[in-house]
Amino acid sequence: MTSASPTFTPAFAHLAAYNQWMNRKLYNAAAALPDEALMQDRGAFFGSLFGTLSHLVVADTIWLQRLAQHPPGFAALQGVAALPKPTALDQHPCATLAELTDLRALLDDTLTQFCAELQPAQLAEPFDYASTKGVHSRKVLGQVLQHVFNHQTHHRGQASTLFSQMGIDIGATDLLLLLPNVA
């Protein structure tokens, strides 16, 4: 993607809505579990269901904080910029699911507002950041956002598999369900 299409910004708005919808489904299902089941190591990349949900919160916090440093200084990202900076991709930023749920909701609201604030031309702009290991990169902003949403989908797929292995059906997960019908 070397240039941004005017239809690309609404696509990110749809992805932000999908992200929020899916996270609510996962967190509602998680809320019905006893703490032992939530924290049990299930052999997933981040161990437990809580570890997987925590990783998504950490990664989204990192990306949103990086985006908050990007000119022109998106208003929607200012609240996230003030959050504590994650120190590791496997850290648990919250001690309880209730706290993690509140932080997840804040991140989802922020991402939704950010996508609404984005202008199509901004998606083609260069975006400079440093990885958690200090490696500096310059990527196209729109492509970085594609990564952010793809990463979320990837790990939510792992979480939904963990629920399935516990015999819990979180329901339909297709983005298609949120896309409007056209005449």
Side-chain angles (χ1 to χ4, degrees):
M1 179 176 94
T2 57
S3 65
S5 157
T7 60
F8 216 66
T9 303
F12 283 124
H14 284 299
L15 290 173
Y18 173 70
N19 173 63
Q20 191 166 44
W21 178 67
M22 280 301 304
N23 283 330
R24 285 181 183 150
K25 290 171 77 89
L26 291 178
Y27 278 76
N28 286 341
L33 292 173
D35 284 345
E36 304 79 43
L38 190 61
M39 301 296 185
Q40 180 182 347
D41 188 334
R42 298 183 179 279
F45 194 75
F46 291 96
S48 66
L49 182 57
F50 190 81
T52 301
L53 296 176
S54 292
H55 170 69
L56 275 169
V57 164
V58 165
D60 288 353
T61 301
I62 289 170
W63 279 111
L64 289 170
Q65 287 178 335
R66 287 174 182 160
L67 290 164
Q69 300 304 310
H70 178 72
F74 294 96
L77 300 176
Q78 297 315 303
V80 171
L83 291 175
K85 290 193 182 301
T87 57
L89 293 173
D90 62 350
Q91 89 178 72
H92 292 184
C94 301
T96 67
L97 181 63
E99 293 169 347
L100 195 64
T101 300
D102 289 344
L103 184 51
R104 176 77 263 164
L106 171 70
L107 296 173
D108 288 346
D109 288 343
T110 299
L111 192 53
T112 299
Q113 293 166 14
F114 169 64
C115 287
E117 191 177 340
L118 271 173
Q119 297 300 308
Q122 292 170 314
L123 295 169
E125 293 177 354
F127 173 67
D128 297 303
Y129 67 94
S131 74
T132 56
K133 295 179 181 178
V135 176
H136 290 272
S137 295
R138 175 174 264 203
K139 309 281 185 192
V140 174
L141 179 61
Q143 292 173 345
V144 168
L145 286 177
Q146 285 178 313
H147 163 74
V148 170
F149 285 112
N150 185 64
H151 179 261
Q152 294 167 356
T153 300
H154 166 70
H155 286 294
R156 279 196 307 266
Q158 291 174 335
S160 67
T161 297
L162 295 175
F163 279 116
S164 180
Q165 290 171 350
M166 289 185 272
I168 299 167
D169 181 2
I170 62 167
T173 61
D174 291 331
L175 171 65
L176 187 64
L177 296 172
L178 295 184
L179 300 178
N181 288 322
V182 295

